[in-house]
Amino acid sequence: MKLTELNPKFADSGAVKSHLIIDCPICKGHKIAIPINPELPGGQCWTMTGDSFANLNLTPSILHKTAYADWPKTEARNCESHFFITDGEIKIC
């Protein structure tokens, strides 16, 4: 699947990009925010290369586990996704 299919956008922290935000590639029921700026508090981030969503690379792989509520449903849902973003493609592990 192409990264562009997951409605990617960048969140900004001041004048710099801080996170890549995408729809979950597994359930598409929630968003995933991936930190890409090493100067953020906590310092943990992914290394990003490429100049557009069509050729973006993130390393290492992304492992995301979450519980989310799907309004107006009241039950929480669990979702786990593990994937790579390589040359603008999502590769599920």
Side-chain angles (χ1 to χ4, degrees):
M1 134 186 1
K2 295 191 179 295
L3 175 61
T4 54
E5 296 173 41
L6 299 177
N7 302 307
K9 65 179 181 178
F10 290 110
D12 297 332
S13 176
V16 296
K17 295 173 185 168
S18 63
H19 291 79
L20 171 65
I21 300 172
I22 62 172
D23 294 339
C24 175
I26 300 299
C27 71
K28 297 181 180 73
H30 64 277
K31 301 280 187 190
I32 298 174
I34 306 160
I36 56 171
N37 185 333
E39 296 177 13
L40 291 173
Q44 180 184 8
C45 71
W46 278 253
T47 301
M48 183 178 73
T49 59
D51 57 9
S52 73
F53 293 130
N55 67 4
L56 191 93
N57 297 285
L58 282 185
T59 54
S61 66
I62 295 104
L63 174 61
H64 184 77
K65 298 179 183 184
T66 191
Y68 67 98
D70 203 8
W71 190 88
K73 299 175 184 175
T74 56
E75 73 275 4
R77 296 182 182 193
N78 293 313
C79 183
E80 180 175 323
S81 53
H82 187 196
F83 57 96
F84 287 89
I85 300 176
T86 306
D87 291 328
E89 295 280 333
I90 303 292
K91 297 180 181 175
I92 305 294
C93 297

